[in-house]
Amino acid sequence: GDGATVTVAGNVGAQGVYAIERPTRKLSSMLARAGGVGLAPEIARVSVIRGTETGEVWFNDIYRDDRLDIALRSGDRILVEQDNRTFTALGATGAQTRVTFESQTLSAIEAIAQVGGLQSAVADPTGVFVLRNEPAEIANVVMGRTDLIGAQRLVYVLDLTQPNGLFLARDFAIRDSDTVYVTEAPFVQWDKTLGALTGSLASAQALNNLAGN
């Protein structure tokens, strides 16, 4: 009390400056006082800015862990935003586009499903690639080395035709800025090459016919 207020902004029911009162002294109750979040709870992120410090938490976690439902102080600023993580899907998938995360965690299988799955007529399920920039500490572990310095470009390969392939893809977590690339089946590439050759041959035959006339 005594004039203590906080500012609530972002995707909430009613942005504004609110007094800290006994019923609204906790983060969850203040969000409720502001009309709740205007996003799907599983992709809503809540930031509390206090002086020069900023803390961020998933909205759902505030209710799962009482320790995250902090007591507010005068001058706190509360910001509710949508999760802005994205991945890019390329190749023989249902859509080639940049995609936002629809949940807190996203597996490779879920990412593929989110863009419409594999194109059954052209996709090669043995060639699902995940391209990622890994920090040096992770890259050294993955590569079994100790001399790598700085971020490293790594490509993880998932073969969905292996006995445990789908399980590995289900357990492989997609991260922010990943690129998921699905290759085309060899017969599709051969068909394209053959089509290019037959197209050239047909053009050559047409020219010969014109020359003969």
Side-chain angles (χ1 to χ4, degrees), residues 90-93 118-129 159 161 181-194:
L90 296 173
T93 58
L118 303 181
Q119 293 186 26
S120 57
V122 298
D124 182 4
T126 67
V128 177
F129 297 88
D159 183 352
T161 64
Y181 177 73
V182 180
T183 57
E184 292 183 336
F187 74 86
V188 176
Q189 299 173 9
W190 167 250
D191 188 57
K192 288 182 177 179
T193 303
L194 187 61

Side-chain angles (χ1 to χ4, degrees), residues 34-52:
V37 300
L39 300 167
E42 59 269 14
I43 59 172
R45 297 189 67 84
V46 180
S47 300
V48 175
I49 305 167
R50 179 175 293 169
T52 59

Side-chain angles (χ1 to χ4, degrees), residues 87 89 93 99 106-117 169 172 174 180:
F87 70 94
T93 58
V99 187
L106 187 69
S107 70
I109 284 291
E110 292 169 331
I112 293 171
Q114 196 170 321
V115 293
F172 189 93
I174 298 297
V180 179

